[in-house]
Amino acid sequence: MSAATAESGNTYLRAVADGYAADDAYQLRADWSLPKFLTVTPAGAYSYLHLAESFPHATIYRAGHVVELPRERATWLNTFAVNWQDKTRNFNDLVTAQDSPLQGVMVVHRGKVIYEEYPGMRPFDNHVWMSNAKPVASLLIAQLEEQGLVDVHKVVADYVPAAKGTAWEGIKLIDVLNMQTGLDLEEGPEQRANPSSSFARFMMAEAGLPNADGELQTHNQALLAIEKLHQPGKAFEYSSANTQMLGLIIEAVTGQRLADVIAERIWMKVGMEGDAQIGLSPQGNAIIHGLISSRLIDMAKFGMLYTPSWSEVSQTRLVSAEMLKDIQTAGQPANYLKGNIGPKLKRLFDEIPRANAYQWDAVFHDGDLYKGGMNGQGLYVSPDNDLVVAWFGNGFSSVPMERAARAVANAVESGLAQKH
């Protein structure tokens, strides 16, 4: 089936699972626009797999030997029932059905790939992480903190001189990490739809487009222009602007470009299968809040750094026990449901996570971690169960993958998996 004539959405993804015809690729690239990238469209799906054709980019280089994770398919996942509200889907059907928007799903348990499907992409394709990239920034900050180069209880202006005289000046790094700055930067459908909002202005500058006033700002100008809304530490107000500020702090402290920091501190130390990419704004800023692009298995390997199987992919422990404990305890539960994202995740998980912290959207009472990305990306890590669930998509399933990943972790923990 031709990609150009296939139906949009799920059928379209199945039609292009083995790659795009040349004519279709040219047309989809020509049809690309920022709104199509931010919504579920065929042009958006094409650019998710070909990020460098839509944004300038820098390469995040790998090095050393490739770690080949063993494959041992867990047959119980084929029929494992996932319940959500009044719906039930088998895990494998949820991933592979014709109506599924999922492009790739991987489950890694104790260092083995126990489930792997690519219904809408090829295993070697690089796919954009969207906001799954945010914990990369928090890991780099945590590493710098352990080295004594960063103090998360100091303020932004201590590291970024350009923040002096702006609303960012006195915000503590811990409040940036936990997305509770009190600035007028919350990200959600309402803010994206309002061209005058601070967040919309930030996004327009990121793409090199004029804002609602016709002004063409640099990415940093739009970021630093965000104003104060209320005191920090009051609510979980999700925003990619927080992560972008972390990127400026990382570059200021290391004196290196973000792509090189990620390569040297993470990508080259893990047995990744391929180089990754990171999108750049017109002024050259690496868009650390979402535009990392890699193979699915390499995103899963990043998740493994937070599990006991970290040694399967890295000779050096990159997420220390102290770092993991900080992530699991640093959030403020009282703030979680104040804002856009907390109530949404309460509905998707059918439970209230303990808190958010260090750029992770949900930290559960059992220590599990979840990070989601726009339009169907996800990374779920269960340190105690030595489990990672990673997925790419172009939309959302009738039974959310968030609920499915949590159910798989609970099944492994309870021993239910072994009974199937």
Side-chain angles (χ1 to χ4, degrees):
M1 182 185 296
S2 167
T5 59
E7 295 178 13
S8 64
N10 311 323
T11 303
Y12 170 81
L13 292 178
R14 298 302 175 265
V16 300
D18 293 325
Y20 289 81
D23 288 345
D24 296 334
Y26 295 140
Q27 185 62 54
L28 289 165
R29 183 178 179 185
D31 288 345
W32 188 91
S33 66
L34 183 61
K36 288 181 179 178
F37 180 71
L38 298 175
T39 54
V40 177
T41 64
Y46 177 81
S47 61
Y48 293 173
L49 292 168
H50 303 86
L51 181 69
E53 296 182 22
S54 303
F55 286 87
H57 72 283
T59 301
I60 299 170
Y61 292 103
R62 66 163 310 280
H65 74 285
V66 173
V67 171
E68 295 283 353
L69 294 180
R71 265 72 172 177
E72 189 175 304
R73 180 88 172 203
T75 56
W76 64 272
L77 281 171
N78 292 335
T79 56
F80 178 67
V82 182
N83 303 307
W84 183 73
Q85 297 183 347
D86 61 345
K87 303 179 182 71
T88 300
R89 293 290 293 268
N90 288 345
F91 186 86
N92 191 58
D93 289 343
L94 180 65
V95 175
T96 62
Q98 194 68 22
D99 66 349
S100 172
L102 292 161
Q103 292 169 275
V105 176
M106 180 173 290
V107 182
V108 183
H109 184 219
R110 295 177 180 169
K112 293 181 180 179
V113 177
I114 64 169
Y115 184 90
E116 184 177 16
E117 291 287 348
Y118 297 94
M121 60 184 291
R122 298 169 298 186
F124 53 82
D125 280 328
N126 274 13
H127 191 292
V128 68
W129 290 24
M130 295 299 200
S131 287
N132 289 1
K134 287 178 169 64
V136 174
S138 73
L139 174 53
L140 295 173
I141 290 287
Q143 290 178 345
L144 296 172
E145 183 181 14
E146 276 203 343
Q147 290 181 269
L149 300 175
V150 161
D151 182 345
V152 298
H153 298 290
K154 287 189 174 181
V155 299
V156 170
D158 288 330
Y159 301 98
V160 181
K164 293 179 180 177
T166 75
W168 290 95
E169 180 175 15
I171 304 297
K172 293 180 180 179
L173 268 61
I174 189 64
D175 288 327
V176 182
L177 282 162
N178 290 352
M179 297 206 178
Q180 51 184 26
T181 61
L183 302 184
D184 184 18
L185 47 58
E186 189 166 19
E187 175 180 351
E190 181 180 346
Q191 291 80 11
R192 293 191 194 100
N194 177 7
S196 296
S197 71
S198 296
F199 184 75
R201 290 170 179 267
F202 168 74
M203 291 298 294
M204 297 302 279
E206 182 167 276
L209 300 172
N211 61 28
D213 298 325
E215 180 185 6
L216 189 61
Q217 293 181 304
T218 69
H219 203 198
N220 288 355
Q221 285 173 336
L223 178 65
L224 292 167
I226 295 172
E227 298 181 350
K228 181 177 179 178
L229 191 63
H230 53 73
Q231 291 298 315
K234 302 295 183 182
F236 170 28
E237 292 164 328
Y238 184 93
S239 179
S240 295
N242 289 311
T243 321
Q244 205 60 33
M245 180 55 72
L246 294 178
L248 296 186
I249 293 167
I250 293 163
E251 288 190 333
V253 172
T254 64
Q256 295 177 280
R257 299 169 71 232
L258 264 176
D260 293 335
V261 182
I262 298 168
E264 292 177 15
R265 288 178 171 266
I266 301 174
W267 224 255
M268 290 181 176
K269 294 182 180 296
V270 180
M272 299 300 196
E273 287 199 357
D275 295 335
Q277 299 164 328
I278 188 164
L280 305 175
S281 70
Q283 74 183 60
N285 285 99
I287 303 173
I288 184 63
H289 67 74
L291 295 195
I292 288 177
S293 179
S294 82
R295 303 182 188 195
L296 178 62
I297 192 168
D298 288 343
M299 187 172 74
K301 287 178 180 178
F302 174 79
M304 288 175 66
L305 299 177
Y306 296 81
T307 74
S309 289
W310 65 264
S311 58
E312 299 296 321
V313 294
S314 176
Q315 294 182 355
T316 305
R317 186 167 189 178
L318 303 182
V319 179
S320 68
E322 292 76 16
M323 287 183 199
L324 182 58
K325 183 178 180 181
D326 283 345
I327 295 168
Q328 293 171 326
T329 60
Q332 297 187 30
N335 291 345
Y336 193 70
L337 297 180
K338 300 174 183 176
N340 290 328
I341 298 295
K344 175 185 175 181
L345 292 181
K346 173 187 174 183
R347 179 177 64 85
L348 293 180
F349 283 112
D350 269 345
E351 64 178 291
I352 304 175
R354 177 187 176 274
N356 67 290
Y358 273 70
Q359 302 288 293
W360 291 87
D361 295 343
V363 180
F364 291 87
H365 294 275
D366 57 11
D368 285 8
L369 312 172
Y370 162 78
K371 184 72 196 80
M374 179 178 283
N375 295 334
Q377 327 315 322
L379 181 63
Y380 186 99
V381 179
S382 180
D384 284 354
N385 293 310
D386 201 353
L387 179 81
V388 173
V389 185
W391 64 94
F392 291 137
N394 185 43
F396 303 95
S397 306
S398 57
V399 174
M401 270 301 297
E402 289 82 358
R403 182 72 188 97
R406 180 76 172 151
V408 168
N410 288 338
V412 170
E413 181 178 22
S414 68
L416 179 63
Q418 284 69 38
K419 298 176 184 177
H420 276 255

